[in-house]
Amino acid sequence: MGGKGSMDKMKGKAKQKAGKAMGDERLKGEGRADEAKGRAKGAMGDARENLQGMKDSLKGKGRA
């Protein structure tokens, strides 16, 4: 699980498990928020990579 946002996702899952074990709804909520933040960061990183790949492809096609 590498890449952007993976630390937030792992931290979020850990908080959720800890919150569930302790019966702490606030901690579980923080965990869900951290996990969602991690997924969003990952999606943004993927989108940037895809955009860069498309940009590189277009540059290459113009030179053929």
Side-chain angles (χ1 to χ4, degrees):
M1 185 195 271
K4 297 188 184 286
S6 61
M7 286 301 292
D8 286 321
K9 286 194 286 189
M10 290 187 320
K11 181 174 72 172
K13 287 180 188 236
K15 279 185 178 180
Q16 287 180 62
K17 286 182 181 185
K20 186 175 181 178
M22 295 187 295
D24 186 339
E25 290 298 320
R26 186 175 141 261
L27 189 57
K28 282 173 41 178
E30 285 179 16
R32 285 190 293 271
D34 286 343
E35 191 174 358
K37 183 171 84 172
R39 282 194 304 269
K41 281 183 183 179
M44 288 300 293
D46 290 345
R48 282 190 198 112
E49 288 175 19
N50 289 338
L51 189 59
Q52 185 63 45
M54 288 176 15
K55 193 171 153 183
D56 291 344
S57 294
L58 291 174
K59 282 182 182 178
K61 287 184 180 183
R63 294 180 185 178

